[in-house]
């Protein structure tokens, strides 16, 4: 009895007292209110005026603290979707697994969600433990507990400019450490995509994954196979456009996650020149992201899969298949294998094919063919892709630059370039292409009359 009393006293003495969240002022968190979306602030103000709590939450708060520009802004509130929607002129309720409200301001959408309760035994899951429906509302504290990582459980109050921190997320951000809230194994089972998010955040912040958060990933990587393909594609796109894509891919391979995303990625990177080509593509993508420029998913995935397409294209030609049919077969087989795991949307695969199918046509600069190529919708993207191939040593750099100059020129410059080309001697490949065209179009001669 006395021993138990002593143990309880010691436990209370050294255990931290239960207390509420940290409230961190602007002098400590460093967020400049001028960098916060005025529309997100407006949503918070309207909800407050109607008696609700409302905070900017998640990735926007995380990025603002570390000095990055957020891509979008989300709001969390204790108002339900049915209470939120009538307060705004343009708002709609979306989602089944996770119901929320999109408040629309021109081109900007403020995603507004109700505080959620943590997972419970009564929630609907699949046979692997992945949560299928998540519409159980809760308190502010419960909402923080159900979020994945401490750095994403931060709430910014634009009214008093405080950051509300339930799980020492600001401290983890300062250390550039990705740490899971709760038991990592349980949280990964609830949503396997969290393993991919851990890798992305660590790469994006140039940081590390907390050892306890990282430990289960190797043994639970196979759960990625249970994630819907469309959601997997969305997460893969985020990985590739976070500004640190190559670091993400290397970390995915190190954690054993790459085969669940792009099944052929390991094979691509192991081929001669394969890793160099992928590095060049992702370096250019990262540079565009950091410069605030737009990214084309079609171009990105066409670059990632090109080594496989090119390899099969060469194999089919070696077997006697004609050039263009061989390329079509190679592209179809690679895309068929990829779309089993990764739901690349049809509009993207269509653009990818156009970019690939134009590559053989760059080898010959023949008369009207050039004008027909310029009229193609993906001509500029195909020229950019050609530049990538030239940088990787796959294509003549001088010829690639000629095509890029043509793409950048106006009509007068293009006409002058093509006219000048007609007065120059043809290259061996162009002369070969012209002979083939003449053979195809040459009419058979009339039979001679017998004597």
């Amino acid at each position: 009895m006395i021993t138990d009393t002593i143990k309880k006293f010691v436990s209370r003495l050294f255990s931290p007292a239960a207390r509420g969240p940290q409230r961190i002022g602007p002098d400590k968190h460093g967020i400049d209110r001028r960098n916060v979306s005025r529309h997100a602030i407006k949503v918070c103000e309207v909800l407050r005026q109607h008696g609700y709590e409302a905070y900017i939450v998640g990735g926007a708060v995380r990025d603002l603290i570390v000095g990055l520009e957020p891509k979008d802004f989300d709001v969390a509130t204790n108002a339900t979707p049915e209470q939120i929607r009538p307060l705004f002129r343009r708002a709609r309720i979306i989602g089944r697994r996770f119901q929320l409200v999109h408040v629309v301001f021109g081109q900007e959408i403020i995603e507004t969600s109700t505080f959620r309760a943590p997972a419970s035994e009564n929630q609907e899951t699949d046979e692997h433990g992945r949560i299928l429906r998540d519409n159980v509302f809760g308190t502010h504290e419960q909402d923080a507990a159900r979020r994945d990582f401490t750095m994403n459980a931060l709430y910014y109050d634009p009214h008093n400019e405080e950051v509300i921190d339930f799980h020492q997320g600001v401290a983890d951000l300062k250390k550039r450490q990705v740490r899971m809230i709760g038991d990592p194994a349980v949280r990964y089972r609830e949503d396997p995509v969290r393993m991919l998010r851990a890798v992305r955040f660590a790469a994006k912040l140039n940081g590390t994954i907390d050892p306890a958060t990282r430990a289960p990933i190797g043994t639970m990587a196979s759960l990625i196979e249970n994630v819907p393909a469309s959601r997997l594609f969305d997460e893969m796109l985020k990985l590739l456009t976070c500004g640190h894509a190559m670091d993400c891919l290397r970390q995915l391979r190190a954690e054993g996650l790459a085969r669940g995303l792009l099944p052929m990625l390991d094979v691509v990177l192991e081929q001669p020149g394969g890793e160099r080509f992928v590095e060049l593509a992702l370096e250019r993508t990262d540079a565009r992201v950091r410069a605030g420029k737009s990214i084309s998913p079609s171009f990105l995935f066409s670059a990632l899969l090109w080594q496989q397409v090119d390899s099969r294209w060469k194999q089919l030609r070696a077997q006697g298949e004609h050039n263009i049919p061989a390329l079509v077969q190679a592209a179809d087989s690679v895309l068929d294998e990829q779309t089993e795991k990764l739901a690349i949307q049809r509009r993207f695969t269509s653009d990818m094919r156009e970019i690939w199918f134009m590559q053989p046509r760059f080898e010959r600069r023949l008369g009207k063919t050039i004008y027909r190529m310029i009229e193609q919708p993906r001509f500029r993207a195909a020229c950019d892709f050609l530049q990538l191939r030239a940088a990787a040593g796959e294509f003549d750099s001088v010829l690639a630059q000629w095509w890029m100059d043509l793409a950048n020129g106006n009509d007068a410059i293009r006409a002058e370039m093509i006219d000048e080309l007609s007065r120059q001697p043809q290259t061996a490949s162009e002369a070969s292409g012209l002979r083939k065209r003449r053979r195809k179009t040459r009419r058979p001669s009339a039979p001679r009359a017998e004597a």
Side-chain angles (χ1 to χ4, degrees), residues 386-397:
L386 186 68
Q387 292 287 308
L388 188 61
R389 292 179 62 208
E394 289 187 11
F395 195 86
D396 180 80
S397 59

Side-chain angles (χ1 to χ4, degrees), residues 255-275:
E255 302 295 345
L257 292 167
R259 293 185 183 278
L261 289 171
L262 287 170
M264 294 187 295
L265 185 60
D266 284 326
V267 179
V268 169
L269 298 181
E270 288 165 6
Q271 289 184 0
E275 185 162 2

Side-chain angles (χ1 to χ4, degrees), residues 115-121 123 131 134 136-139 141-147 187 190:
F115 294 150
R116 253 61 172 188
S120 67
E121 295 180 357
Q123 284 186 282
I131 295 176
D134 190 17
V136 180
F137 301 141
T139 65
E141 184 175 1
Q142 288 176 322
D143 188 74
R146 62 161 286 280
R147 293 184 179 271
R187 304 307 304 276
E190 290 173 355

